[in-house]
């Protein structure tokens, strides 16, 4: 569940007097078993005023959450909610309020699956109400083997499009207060269990000491330390001793349901970890389009921690790494978007030294200066372009996810899903899980979230590496079950599997269940580069009882995510199925809502309802920073296109770059004094020096830039599109030696200096950038391939000389293909 930083708004007659906040505390009980989380969250209200209140609490929720229960405890009386058609639930709620009855409503926002609203109606003076909602959720598997659970605490203001529905709870405006003045508290207790044993648990927030419940460490309990400030999502990383074991869990159905109800029959949850080999060589073709958020909020830090990198600066570094890692011969383009959008090129261009240099030149000028977050228009522009034969489209979307038209964006991506894959990245706290996960899911891509100290660069490069792997084809799932028993798939057909990915599917077992000792088998088959592979799992057919029907709820959620495209976007032919599955399984959707009415009051609540605007905490937002910088509000949404054009923009966030001298080539040229004035426009971290060659008297802009003290990024910025490095002053600066010393150490006279420079650069990467290998691995492989192709005959001599020159202990095997 989510917990606030949401909005808590009181609805009714606006009173100038501000009374005590009715929401007093939020308590969360979390139970994680293997890779499934069960959550019970309680909102505790108390009306300390002398008038009845109606409260609205708007909060974030992970879009994978299957919310299946809502109940109210009012003055000791328990009231269970019923899941109804949303319009019917709203009518019943309004009728109850108008008649003086207490009523409670829980619904998913109409515009986004990861925002919920909870209404407390007719809370009498002196009354206490505890509202509890329950949900289950699959936990995603991280690259390092951790299972990730996030309790959302941040609900960023969403960028409002003109003409967007007024009935969205995202339209609510509330005052803000400093974090220390927030009047409600959060507590969380978590129990974690795994049959394979718990290795360790990490959290981005202070915890009580971990208490292991047994010597075998198969169960543990933790709790959130007091005083959570609502300045970040609560994130747990759970490491088991084993996470890659395939499994099948069979759950007993609910016998009291109708014959055609999903809940009536046993359901199976199948987990596979396909051992897909790494293909060699990787794909060298494709159209790679990078869609980068340049809205004002990208000027904020990656996290609230000290010295955290700004989002836009991390985005620049990420784009440099991506551009340097692209394969020769592919096509590419970069779009910046906000209220308008800016493509680097009118259409995707072939990846050459010239086009890469132009793209890098434009990257250094990028700023978070394009207003709000309007992603739909640039997406349509990308999809409107013609396909490039033999180069399938791979789209990479980077955004902090602060948009309101989530379902419209997902629908647009889904319409074009047959011609591309989308890899999406949520940047910073509060990124929309509905948007980020939704566009990746409907296009067969993958989603990532970057929070805290995590690096955007490493996650982006891991996604690029996946996109360069050959496609796994002919994916199928087959069942071997006893006679009279069959499996009906509830999950959508799986068409894409990535190396290192966990695959979860759901099925309903129909027919006659065999004796307890009977077993079944499920087989996953697929092919890669003409070779066939299969993974089999044998499992017990004896269904387990679970009072919460966890697997059934998750299966229903999987179905709803496929069919439910939002309150306004869901096709009419799918809406009927969505309503049936949602109501039959008790799992909320965009078309349903939980409604509870206390009809047992001795007398109706008397008096007009009073509105109270309950504040949310101040988070120093980049939007506010950029608004102050521009001297006004963020730019309004538009569908305008801003054509590519070089710009110099004065940077008020960094000091001017002082005049400095530097040598560039054998002509002993010095850096131009024009830099002194240019420094007034460009930041210290992103300024490209201009050199004047004293021999030919021409101005030259070398391919390297200054990136503060980040030598790794400096070296990478020097690499050419074909993977090689030139022998120049920029390389010497990174290596910490003079250009003359490098030339003197060249072991073969008249040899190609680029081969020598490239060997030195690769060796430096391994010696000085081991911790960042995942970020430069692709561009390093490109460099090694270039060495074999252009310096193969003298490679061993160059390697030996380079190791001696740099006094390196690296194994020469790093240069093997």
């Amino acid at each position: 569940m989510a917990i606030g930083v949401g909005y808590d708004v009181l609805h009714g007659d606006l009173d100038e007097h501000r009374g005590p906040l009715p929401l007093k505390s939020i308590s969360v009980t979390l139970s994680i078993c293997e890779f499934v989380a069960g959550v019970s969250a309680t909102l505790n209200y108390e009306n300390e005023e002398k008038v009845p209140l109606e409260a609205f609490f708007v909060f974030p929720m992970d879009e994978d959450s299957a919310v299946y229960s809502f109940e109210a405890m009012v003055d000791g009386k328990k009231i269970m909610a019923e899941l109804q058609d949303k319009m019917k639930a709203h009518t019943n709620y309004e009728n109850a309020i108008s008649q003086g009855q207490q009523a409670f409503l829980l619904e998913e926002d109409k515009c986004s699956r990861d925002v919920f609203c909870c209404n407390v109606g007719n809370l009498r003076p002196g009354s206490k109400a505890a509202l509890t909602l329950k949900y289950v959720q699959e936990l995603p598997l991280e690259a390092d083997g951790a299972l990730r659970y996030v309790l959302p605490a941040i609900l960023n203001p969403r960028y409002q499009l003109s003409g967007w529905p007024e009935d969205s709870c995202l339209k609510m405006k509330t005052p803000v207060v400093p974090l220390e003045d927030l009047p409600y508290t959060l507590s969380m207790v978590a129990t974690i269990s795994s049959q394979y044993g718990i290795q360790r648990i990490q959290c981005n927030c202070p915890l009580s000491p971990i208490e292991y419940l047994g010597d075998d460490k198969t169960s543990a309990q933790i709790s959130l330390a007091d005083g959570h400030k609502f300045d970040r999502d609560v994130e747990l990383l759970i490491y088991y001793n084993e996470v890659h074991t395939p499994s099948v869990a069979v759950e007993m159905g609910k016998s009291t349901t109708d014959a055609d109800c999903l809940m009536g029959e046993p359901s199976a949850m199948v987990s596979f970890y396909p051992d897909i080999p790494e293909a060699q060589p990787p794909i060298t073709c494709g159209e790679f389009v990078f869609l980068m958020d340049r809205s004002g909020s990208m000027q904020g830090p990656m996290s609230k921690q000290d010295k955290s990198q700004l989002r836009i600066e991390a985005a620049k570094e990420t784009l440099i790494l991506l551009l340097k890692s692209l394969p020769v011969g592919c096509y590419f383009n970069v779009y910046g978007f906000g209220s308008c959008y800016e493509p680097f090129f009118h259409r995707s261009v072939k990846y050459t030294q010239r086009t890469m240099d132009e793209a890098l030149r434009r990257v250094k000028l990028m700023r978070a200066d394009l207003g709000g977050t309007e992603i739909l228009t640039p997406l349509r522009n990308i999809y409107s372009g013609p396909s490039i034969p033999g180069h399938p489209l791979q789209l990479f979307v980077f955004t902090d996810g602060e948009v309101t038209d989530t379902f419209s964006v997902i629908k647009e991506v889904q319409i074009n899903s047959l011609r591309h894959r989308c890899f999406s990245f949520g940047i910073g706290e509060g990124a929309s899980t509905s948007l980020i996960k939704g566009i990746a899911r409907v296009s067969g891509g993958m989603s990532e979230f970057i929070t805290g100290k995590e690096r955007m660069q490493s996650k982006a490069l891991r996604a690029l590496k996946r996109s360069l792997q050959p496609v796994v084809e002919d994916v199928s799932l087959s069942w071997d079950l006893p006679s009279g028993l069959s499996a009906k798939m509830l999950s959508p057909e799986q068409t894409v599997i990535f190396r290192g990915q966990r695959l979860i599917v759901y099925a309903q077992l129909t027919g006659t269940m065999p004796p307890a000792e009977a077993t079944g088998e499920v087989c996953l088959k697929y092919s890669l580069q003409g070779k066939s592979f299969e993974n089999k799992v044998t499992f017990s057919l004896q269904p387990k009882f679970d009072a919460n029907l966890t697997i059934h709820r998750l299966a229903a959620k999987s179905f709803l995510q496929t069919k439910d495209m939002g309150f306004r976007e869901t096709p009419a032919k799918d809406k009927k199925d969505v309503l049936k599955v949602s109501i039959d399984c008790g799992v909320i959707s965009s078309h349903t809502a939980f409604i509870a009415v206390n009809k047992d009051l001795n007398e109706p609540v008397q008096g007009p309802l009073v509105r109270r605007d309950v504040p949310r905490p101040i988070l120093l937002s980049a939007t506010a920073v950029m608004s102050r910088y521009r001297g006004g509000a963020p730019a309004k949404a538009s569908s305008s296109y801003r054509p590519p054009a070089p710009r110099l923009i004065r940077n008020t966030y960094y000091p001017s770059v002082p005049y400095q001298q530097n040598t560039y080539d054998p002509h002993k040229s010095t850096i131009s004094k024009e830099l002194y004035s240019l420094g007034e426009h460009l930041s210290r971290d992103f300024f490209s020096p201009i050199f004047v060659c004293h021999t030919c008297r021409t101005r030259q802009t070398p391919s390297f830039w200054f990136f503060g003290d980040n030598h790794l990024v400096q070296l990478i910025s020097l690499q050419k599109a074909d993977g090689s490095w030139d022998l120049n002053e920029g390389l010497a600066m990174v290596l910490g030696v003079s250009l003359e010393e490098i030339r003197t150490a060249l072991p073969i006279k008249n040899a190609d200096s680029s081969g020598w420079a490239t060997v030195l650069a690769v060796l430096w990467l391994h010696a000085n950038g081991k911790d960042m290998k995942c970020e430069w691995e692709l561009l390093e492989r490109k460099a090694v391939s270039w060495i074999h192709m252009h310096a193969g005959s003298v490679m061993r001599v160059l390697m030996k000389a380079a190791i001696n020159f740099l006094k390196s202990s690296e194994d020469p095997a790093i240069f093997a293909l």
Side-chain angles (χ1 to χ4, degrees):
M1 150 146 195
I3 42 175
V5 173
Y7 313 91
D8 192 347
V9 182
L10 301 183
H11 176 63
D13 297 332
L14 182 60
D15 191 337
E16 292 299 323
H17 167 70
R18 294 186 178 275
L21 174 65
L23 179 61
K24 301 302 180 183
S25 65
I26 303 169
S27 57
V28 177
T29 302
L30 169 65
S31 176
I32 296 175
C33 181
E34 306 301 354
F35 51 85
V36 174
V39 183
S40 174
T42 301
L43 312 176
N44 296 296
Y45 287 86
E46 181 178 1
N47 184 2
E48 298 177 316
E49 300 192 56
K50 298 179 179 179
V51 291
L53 301 176
E54 182 182 16
F56 287 63
F57 184 51
V58 182
F59 55 88
M61 176 82 75
D62 191 292
E63 87 115 33
D64 287 335
S65 304
V67 180
Y68 66 89
S69 176
F70 181 54
E71 64 183 50
M73 181 71 73
V74 185
D75 299 328
K77 177 179 175 57
K78 185 176 181 179
I79 309 165
M80 289 300 300
E82 178 185 351
L83 190 62
Q84 299 178 356
D85 177 284
K86 179 174 285 189
M87 301 307 295
K88 179 182 177 182
H90 270 268
T91 300
N92 290 340
Y93 176 82
E94 294 296 337
N95 288 341
I97 294 300
S98 64
Q99 295 169 17
Q101 296 176 323
Q102 288 180 330
F104 309 91
L105 186 71
L106 178 69
E107 63 178 321
E108 180 185 290
D109 186 67
K110 293 182 177 181
C111 300
S112 189
R113 192 177 279 134
D114 61 348
V115 179
F116 275 62
C117 183
C118 178
N119 299 12
V120 180
N122 275 328
L123 188 62
R124 294 188 298 186
S127 286
K128 294 182 179 180
L131 309 184
T132 300
L133 64 100
K134 298 178 181 179
Y135 69 88
V136 290
Q137 176 188 351
E138 296 172 11
L139 299 185
L141 182 67
E142 297 292 294
D144 64 352
L147 290 164
R148 183 176 192 153
Y149 170 75
V150 177
L151 180 66
I154 306 297
L155 178 57
N156 292 325
R158 302 292 172 95
Y159 180 63
Q160 301 292 322
L161 291 170
S162 58
W164 201 246
E166 291 294 331
D167 56 353
S168 168
C169 54
L170 292 169
K171 286 279 189 178
M172 294 182 181
K173 294 181 174 62
T174 57
V176 293
V177 297
L179 289 170
E180 59 270 17
D181 293 340
L182 196 67
Y184 51 88
T185 61
L186 169 69
S187 62
M188 184 186 79
V189 176
T191 302
I192 301 161
S193 60
S194 171
Q195 61 180 316
Y196 303 106
I198 300 167
Q199 190 180 102
R200 66 184 187 276
I201 302 169
Q202 296 177 356
C203 185
N204 66 334
C205 299
L207 294 175
S208 64
I210 299 174
E211 179 184 355
Y212 287 100
L213 309 178
D215 296 335
D216 55 0
K217 290 190 174 182
T218 56
S219 183
Q221 189 172 82
I222 57 173
S223 59
L224 191 65
D226 294 338
H228 180 72
K229 296 298 183 183
F230 290 89
D231 60 342
R232 69 192 72 173
D233 296 337
V234 180
E235 178 181 286
L236 292 176
L237 294 176
I238 302 147
Y239 295 83
Y240 296 144
N241 292 327
E242 176 55 60
V243 293
H244 295 99
T245 303
S247 63
V248 179
V250 181
E251 181 180 85
M252 190 180 298
K254 193 175 180 181
S255 58
T256 57
T257 57
D258 297 335
D260 61 342
C261 177
L262 186 152
M263 305 294 281
E265 302 282 357
S267 287
M269 182 181 193
V270 183
S271 306
F272 276 113
Y273 301 86
D275 186 18
I276 301 174
E278 185 168 2
Q280 295 290 343
I283 291 174
T284 58
C285 61
E287 179 187 4
F288 300 88
V289 176
F290 305 105
L291 185 56
M292 183 63 72
D293 193 338
R294 286 178 52 192
S295 62
S297 54
M298 287 291 288
Q299 188 60 37
M302 288 295 298
S303 75
K304 304 303 173 186
Q305 301 168 9
D306 292 340
K307 299 181 180 179
S308 177
Q309 189 176 29
L310 296 183
R311 296 177 185 182
I312 191 64
E313 304 303 331
K316 289 181 177 182
E317 280 191 18
T318 300
L319 281 174
I320 292 169
L321 289 165
L322 289 168
L323 290 171
K324 294 290 184 177
S325 301
L326 291 177
V328 177
C330 73
Y331 288 75
F332 79 102
N333 203 353
V334 179
Y335 282 68
F337 74 93
S339 300
C340 56
Y341 67 93
E342 290 185 359
F344 281 15
F345 308 98
H346 181 65
R347 291 297 180 195
S348 294
V349 295
K350 194 165 186 177
Y351 182 68
T352 64
Q353 186 63 41
R354 182 186 64 80
T355 56
M356 185 194 74
D357 283 344
E358 173 61 17
L360 292 175
R361 184 185 69 81
R362 292 184 59 80
V363 166
K364 74 172 184 178
L365 297 175
M366 283 178 53
R367 299 181 63 224
D369 60 353
L370 294 185
T373 309
E374 211 286 87
I375 191 174
L376 189 57
T377 304
L379 276 176
R380 286 172 174 166
N381 179 266
I382 293 168
Y383 295 143
S384 68
S387 298
I388 302 173
H391 294 270
L393 175 61
Q394 311 265 24
L395 179 62
F396 293 73
V397 178
F398 299 83
T399 179
D400 53 19
E402 298 175 4
V403 301
T404 48
D405 56 339
T406 301
F407 286 120
S408 298
V409 174
I410 295 173
K411 183 179 180 180
E412 186 69 26
V413 174
Q414 184 181 48
I415 291 171
N416 293 277
S417 60
L418 294 180
R419 57 170 294 197
H420 85 300
R421 288 188 297 186
C422 180
F423 298 85
S424 54
F425 303 85
I427 303 170
E429 305 287 353
S432 170
T433 59
S434 183
L435 175 68
I436 302 303
K437 292 183 179 182
I439 59 178
R441 182 179 60 249
V442 298
S443 64
M446 295 199 73
S447 60
E448 295 274 10
F449 291 87
I450 304 111
T451 58
K453 294 182 179 181
E454 293 177 322
R455 286 176 59 81
M456 186 191 309
Q457 297 89 326
S458 60
K459 293 200 171 188
L461 268 294
R462 183 163 66 241
L464 179 61
K465 185 176 180 180
R466 282 173 168 164
S467 74
L468 291 171
Q469 288 291 306
V471 176
V472 173
E473 299 176 312
D474 304 323
V475 181
S476 65
L477 203 66
S478 60
W479 299 77
D480 183 6
L481 301 172
S483 177
L485 189 65
S486 62
K488 176 186 176 182
M489 295 302 298
L490 300 174
S491 301
E493 180 182 359
Q494 194 73 28
T495 57
V496 178
I497 305 177
F498 294 100
R499 188 170 184 267
Q501 178 187 3
R502 180 187 62 192
L503 176 64
I504 296 178
V505 294
Y506 297 93
Q508 186 177 39
L509 301 182
T510 59
T512 305
M513 295 300 292
E517 64 276 7
T519 61
E521 183 181 83
V522 60
C523 178
L524 174 69
K525 297 180 180 180
Y526 54 92
S527 62
L528 177 66
Q529 294 183 313
K531 294 182 179 180
S532 297
F533 299 87
E534 64 178 37
N535 298 136
K536 294 182 178 180
V537 183
T538 300
F539 61 96
S540 170
L541 284 169
Q542 181 63 28
K544 301 288 181 63
F545 172 77
D546 181 353
N548 294 326
L549 293 163
T550 299
I551 293 177
H552 285 77
R553 314 282 192 194
L554 291 173
K557 182 66 177 182
S558 176
F559 175 87
L560 292 172
Q561 285 180 320
T562 304
K563 297 287 187 180
D564 186 2
M565 294 302 295
F567 189 76
R568 294 174 177 85
E569 300 289 344
T570 304
K573 60 183 178 62
D574 292 333
K575 182 178 177 180
K576 182 178 178 181
D577 291 338
V578 168
L579 278 170
K580 176 173 174 53
V581 171
S582 176
I583 292 174
D584 285 352
C585 300
V587 176
I588 202 168
S589 70
S590 68
H591 297 274
T592 53
F594 280 103
I595 171 73
V597 178
N598 184 5
K599 299 179 180 179
D600 297 332
L601 290 176
N602 294 329
E603 60 182 30
V605 177
Q606 301 294 324
L609 293 180
V610 176
R611 170 176 174 159
R612 292 283 178 257
D613 291 334
V614 181
R616 59 186 178 91
I618 292 175
L619 296 177
L620 183 58
S621 72
T623 304
V625 171
M626 292 303 291
S627 296
R628 291 197 298 271
Y629 165 63
R630 286 191 296 268
K636 293 183 178 180
S638 72
S639 59
S640 60
Y641 155 67
R642 188 182 294 182
R647 296 179 298 161
L648 286 180
I649 306 175
R650 183 178 180 86
N651 193 327
T652 62
Y653 294 101
Y654 297 93
S656 300
V657 181
Y659 169 71
Q660 55 180 297
Q661 290 191 342
N662 198 355
T663 57
Y664 172 50
D665 61 12
H667 306 313
K668 299 180 180 179
S669 58
T670 57
I671 193 167
S672 168
K673 292 186 179 181
E674 292 171 76
L675 280 174
Y676 187 76
S677 59
L678 183 62
E680 291 295 312
H681 298 280
L682 300 178
S683 79
R684 181 184 302 274
D685 288 341
F686 290 90
F687 111 79
S688 179
I690 300 173
F691 295 90
V692 176
C693 174
H694 287 276
T695 300
C696 56
R697 308 304 301 174
T698 58
R699 300 170 73 237
Q700 301 179 15
T701 303
S703 60
F704 70 89
W705 306 338
F706 290 96
F707 288 88
D709 296 326
N710 193 335
H711 289 173
L712 176 62
V713 181
Q714 289 180 27
L715 180 66
I716 290 170
S717 70
L718 290 167
Q719 189 185 31
K720 298 171 70 174
D722 61 7
S724 67
W725 273 265
D726 282 338
L727 186 57
N728 57 31
E729 190 67 36
L731 179 63
M733 290 170 59
V734 174
L735 299 182
V737 296
S738 70
L739 183 59
E740 188 59 32
E741 287 177 293
I742 301 178
R743 292 184 184 280
T744 302
L746 180 60
I748 305 172
K749 290 184 178 181
N750 301 320
D752 179 15
S753 62
S754 292
W756 175 232
T758 305
V759 169
L760 288 171
V762 170
L763 197 60
W764 188 95
L765 280 173
H766 282 272
N768 297 277
K770 279 188 172 66
D771 292 343
M772 301 293 184
K773 185 177 180 180
C774 60
E775 297 182 13
W776 51 258
E777 184 178 11
L778 287 175
L779 62 90
E780 183 263 0
R781 288 294 88 192
K782 189 163 65 168
V784 170
S785 296
W786 184 93
I787 292 171
H788 278 262
M789 186 177 299
H790 294 87
S793 60
V794 295
M795 184 176 67
R796 291 183 181 277
V797 177
L798 295 177
M799 285 165 38
K800 184 176 179 181
I803 290 172
N804 291 332
F805 178 67
L806 295 179
K807 298 179 175 58
S808 173
S809 59
E810 296 300 320
D811 188 340
I814 63 176
F815 290 94
L817 285 175

